[in-house]
């Protein structure tokens, strides 16, 4: 038996209910976790003031809407498909839209702000 934990995130997500977030490990004081969801959205805005966030699509497709710091600029929309990931830079408001049933792994910093405003900036 190894003292090191080896985890397959694509297997770990299979035992979860929809939108049940499961922390697999802690990394730099933030959760490394998985969840899954059917198509739908968009979700609420979130922002991490102290660290970047990694969003890895195990299976499916998401669209991430990102608010540029410059309020005169339109929101950016980035699509991420199966096997790909996106690094969301620290300090930028962003939100998910699930374009298909999606299984996702995330590495988020511990400090997260949330907003339900149309433009959270």
């Amino acid at each position: 038996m190894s003292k090191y934990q080896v985890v397959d995130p694509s297997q770990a997500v299979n035992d979860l209910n929809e939108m049940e977030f499961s922390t697999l490990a802690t990394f730099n004081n933030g959760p490394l976790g998985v969840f899954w969801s059917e198509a739908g959205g968009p979700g609420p805005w979130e922002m991490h003031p102290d660290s970047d966030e990694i969003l890895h699509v195990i299976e499916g497709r998401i669209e991430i809407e990102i608010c540029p710091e410059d309020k005169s600029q339109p929101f950016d929309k980035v699509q991420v498909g199966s096997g790909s990931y996106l690094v969301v830079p620290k300090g930028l408001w962003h939100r998910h839209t699930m374009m298909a049933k999606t299984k996702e792994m995330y590495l988020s910093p511990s400090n997260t702000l949330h907003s339900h405003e149309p433009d959270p900036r």
Side-chain angles (χ1 to χ4, degrees), residues 89-121:
K90 72 178 179 180
L92 295 182
W93 287 98
H94 57 283
R95 66 180 174 181
H96 279 71
T97 298
M98 302 301 186
M99 308 301 287
K101 180 178 178 180
T102 300
K103 297 177 182 179
E104 185 177 322
M105 183 174 75
Y106 57 90
L107 178 55
S108 299
S110 59
N111 189 11
T112 302
L113 305 177
H114 294 93
S115 175
H116 292 279
E117 296 297 320
D119 184 341
R121 297 172 291 184

Side-chain angles (χ1 to χ4, degrees), residues 9-119:
S10 63
Q11 287 298 102
V13 74
N14 288 338
D15 295 330
L16 302 176
N17 295 316
E18 183 175 16
M19 292 302 291
E20 178 183 353
F21 289 74
S22 176
T23 299
L24 304 177
T26 301
F27 185 84
N28 291 342
N29 298 320
L32 170 66
V34 292
F35 74 98
W36 72 271
S37 181
E38 296 288 347
W45 293 103
E46 63 179 51
M47 191 263 283
H48 313 286
D50 305 319
S51 181
D52 298 343
E53 178 179 45
I54 297 174
L55 305 173
H56 172 73
V57 176
I58 299 166
E59 179 183 306
R61 187 166 40 96
I62 62 174
E63 181 176 80
I64 303 297
E65 212 172 348
I66 303 172
C67 297
E69 290 179 356
D70 181 349
K71 289 185 179 185
S72 70
Q73 298 297 310
F75 298 162
D76 294 316
K77 293 183 179 185
V78 180
Q79 290 202 10
V80 185
S82 295
S84 298
Y85 69 88
L86 171 70
V87 176
V88 180
K90 72 178 179 180
L92 295 182
W93 287 98
H94 57 283
R95 66 180 174 181
H96 279 71
T97 298
M98 302 301 186
M99 308 301 287
K101 180 178 178 180
T102 300
K103 297 177 182 179
E104 185 177 322
M105 183 174 75
Y106 57 90
L107 178 55
S108 299
S110 59
N111 189 11
T112 302
L113 305 177
H114 294 93
S115 175
H116 292 279
E117 296 297 320
D119 184 341

